[in-house]
Amino acid sequence: MVLQSSLKNCLQLSCIFRTPKAGFRSTTTGGLIIQSISNDVYQNLAVEDWIHDHMNLENRPVLFLWRNSPAVVIGRHQNPWQLMRQKNIKLARRRSGGGTVYHDLGNINLTFFTTRKKYERMENLKLVVKALKGLRPQLDVHVTDRYDILLDRQYKISGTAAKLGGTAAYHHCTLLCNADKFVLSSVLTSPYRGLKSNATPSVPASVKNLFEEDPSLTCEMLLDAIAEEYAAQHQIDHHISLINPADETVLPGINNKTKELQTWEWVYGKTPKFSISTCFNLVYQDSVLDVKVDMDVKHGRIEVCNIDLPEQWLPPALCSELVKSLTGSKFCPNETTALTTTLPRVCPQDSELHSRWNLLCENMTMLM
């Protein structure tokens, strides 16, 4: 198999992608297989958006191959606060629906682009299964009615999601080769109690890496086998074109798409409305107090907030000050932390109340 790496071939690829839509319709036909040279989840999701928005897929279906450094990718209508967040693991929201997926370099991602009329996710998954069996005939893999791929009739090795546009569509799926299952399990666990949401839930499943079934398998082997099967079915050359997701000369406007996918407004602000009803203990000096909090959050911002705690511990005016400050703000620890530096105007000289105020704010921050 050939990977484009020379300057001449890079220029050839550039010509392909810089051709306007009309050019695709009139001068090029047949499928295209491309692979990202980036492991950045935001860049790779941006490539999906770019192909969906700019390429004419009428006579040129596209298979996009990509891998990411550790990242949690949620569906378009999911709630990120229902997930356990960890340092060094990026959080991204994709344009398609479906549930949450953990990505790392032991996991490969496949995106099948077609026109909406030719969209057929079952055929795509059958292609993947055929490629796997061609590579290792002994593998017991099959596609379910839920559009998952199971290994040994019980372990999920691939999940699936899709976006259907007006004329274009794509179906993407994962394939577990040698992913970190411990991290996968931990990040998909919700740390929140008392959170109620109509967001799309993620359904836990028993998973297994293909590497566990056959340690000789690698991500590169899987990518190559799937690309070869795709090429055979579309009667095109078995050739993967490498693409740089940050190259504006190849993908005009791509960096703006990447930046948008990283914004708080997209990752958190697109969350469906949810509510939190919870309690926590405040430990102050020799006393322990129960605090009850109820909040409604819409578009990632606190719409309604109620805090119930003993009046003798914090004057109602101060509690009201905190509620007023929280209402309309982002449901975000950074914004709430800033409140701890805002000394209440009603008692500028009372250090005791300032300590209690800061302690309450710190505990509110921990809810987020």
Side-chain angles (χ1 to χ4, degrees):
M1 142 172 198
V2 180
L3 292 177
Q4 279 187 224
S5 56
S6 68
L7 176 61
K8 178 180 179 181
N9 286 335
C10 287
L11 290 173
Q12 177 185 354
L13 176 61
S14 178
C15 291
I16 290 174
F17 276 93
R18 292 179 66 185
T19 306
K21 282 189 175 182
F24 282 116
R25 285 195 296 268
S26 59
T27 63
T28 58
T29 58
L32 180 66
I33 305 172
I34 63 175
Q35 181 174 350
S36 173
I37 65 171
S38 171
N39 294 323
D40 181 83
V41 63
Y42 304 111
Q43 289 184 333
N44 288 326
L45 289 173
V47 171
E48 285 191 326
D49 292 345
W50 195 96
I51 295 174
H52 176 271
D53 295 344
H54 295 289
M55 283 191 68
N56 176 12
L57 301 166
E58 185 63 41
N59 297 311
R60 168 154 281 198
V62 175
L63 171 61
F64 176 43
L65 311 171
W66 46 297
R67 295 163 66 194
N68 292 324
S69 298
V72 173
V73 184
I74 63 175
R76 173 67 178 83
H77 306 291
Q78 289 201 289
N79 186 327
W81 284 282
Q82 292 179 304
L83 302 169
M84 182 71 74
R85 280 165 283 175
Q86 294 187 16
K87 291 182 179 179
N88 303 321
I89 297 181
K90 296 177 180 178
L91 176 64
R93 183 187 296 275
R94 61 180 186 267
R95 305 278 181 188
S96 62
T100 302
V101 183
Y102 171 70
H103 291 184
D104 65 20
L105 294 178
N107 162 316
I108 67 175
N109 303 286
L110 316 165
T111 310
F112 298 85
F113 293 89
T114 61
T115 60
R116 180 163 181 156
K117 291 180 179 179
K118 295 180 180 179
Y119 166 82
E120 181 47 77
R121 71 170 79 179
M122 182 59 78
E123 293 305 312
N124 297 334
L125 295 173
K126 288 180 179 179
L127 183 153
V128 175
V129 167
K130 186 175 181 181
L132 291 176
K133 289 187 174 181
L135 189 63
R136 293 291 186 272
Q138 75 277 12
L139 288 175
D140 179 8
V141 288
H142 77 282
V143 185
T144 72
D145 293 338
R146 291 175 55 86
Y147 303 106
D148 296 326
I149 298 179
L150 295 186
L151 175 66
D152 298 332
R153 303 284 163 174
Q154 58 180 319
Y155 300 108
K156 185 175 178 179
I157 60 170
S158 177
T160 199
K163 177 181 178 181
L164 304 179
T167 57
Y170 64 77
H171 158 227
H172 47 197
C173 62
T174 58
L175 193 59
L176 292 175
C177 179
N178 194 19
D180 189 326
K181 292 199 301 181
F182 176 79
V183 177
L184 183 155
S185 170
S186 64
V187 297
L188 299 185
T189 302
S190 174
Y192 288 97
R193 292 180 298 176
L195 190 153
K196 297 180 180 179
S197 174
N198 291 324
T200 303
S202 289
V203 180
S206 296
V207 298
K208 190 174 185 178
N209 283 306
L210 286 165
F211 180 84
E212 296 176 69
E213 194 77 4
D214 185 338
S216 68
L217 289 173
T218 65
C219 287
E220 290 73 19
M221 292 170 65
L222 296 175
L223 288 169
D224 191 24
I226 292 166
E228 185 174 6
E229 183 60 34
Y230 185 88
Q233 291 196 17
H234 289 82
Q235 299 181 330
I236 60 174
D237 290 337
H238 176 203
H239 181 81
I240 296 178
S241 299
L242 294 183
I243 188 168
N244 178 0
D247 191 346
E248 289 275 344
T249 64
V250 175
L251 307 167
I254 188 68
N255 289 320
N256 284 337
K257 290 182 178 292
T258 302
K259 290 176 183 177
E260 179 189 359
L261 291 171
Q262 298 178 68
T263 62
W264 187 95
E265 286 71 21
W266 173 253
V267 178
Y268 294 97
K270 293 296 182 181
T271 303
K273 185 175 180 177
F274 65 97
S275 64
I276 287 181
S277 180
T278 190
C279 297
F280 59 82
N281 293 327
L282 278 182
V283 180
Y284 184 75
Q285 295 180 353
D286 295 329
S287 61
V288 178
L289 297 92
D290 293 327
V291 180
K292 189 175 187 302
V293 177
D294 295 285
M295 285 186 283
D296 291 337
V297 183
K298 184 177 182 180
H299 302 312
R301 292 183 178 272
I302 300 170
E303 190 176 47
V304 177
C305 178
N306 291 299
I307 303 174
D308 184 13
L309 76 168
E311 291 186 8
Q312 66 270 23
W313 195 80
L314 194 71
L318 276 185
C319 192
S320 296
E321 182 85 6
L322 179 57
V323 168
K324 180 180 177 182
S325 298
L326 287 172
T327 303
S329 68
K330 294 177 181 176
F331 188 69
C332 169
N334 292 339
E335 280 209 8
T336 305
T337 298
L339 295 175
T340 64
T341 63
T342 305
L343 301 181
R345 294 184 297 273
V346 294
C347 54
Q349 305 301 323
D350 195 325
S351 60
E352 175 78 8
L353 287 180
H354 289 171
S355 296
R356 295 181 180 184
W357 163 274
N358 290 338
L359 180 61
L360 178 60
C361 288
E362 288 168 8
N363 277 268
M364 292 295 295
T365 301
M366 293 171 64
L367 294 178
M368 304 174 186

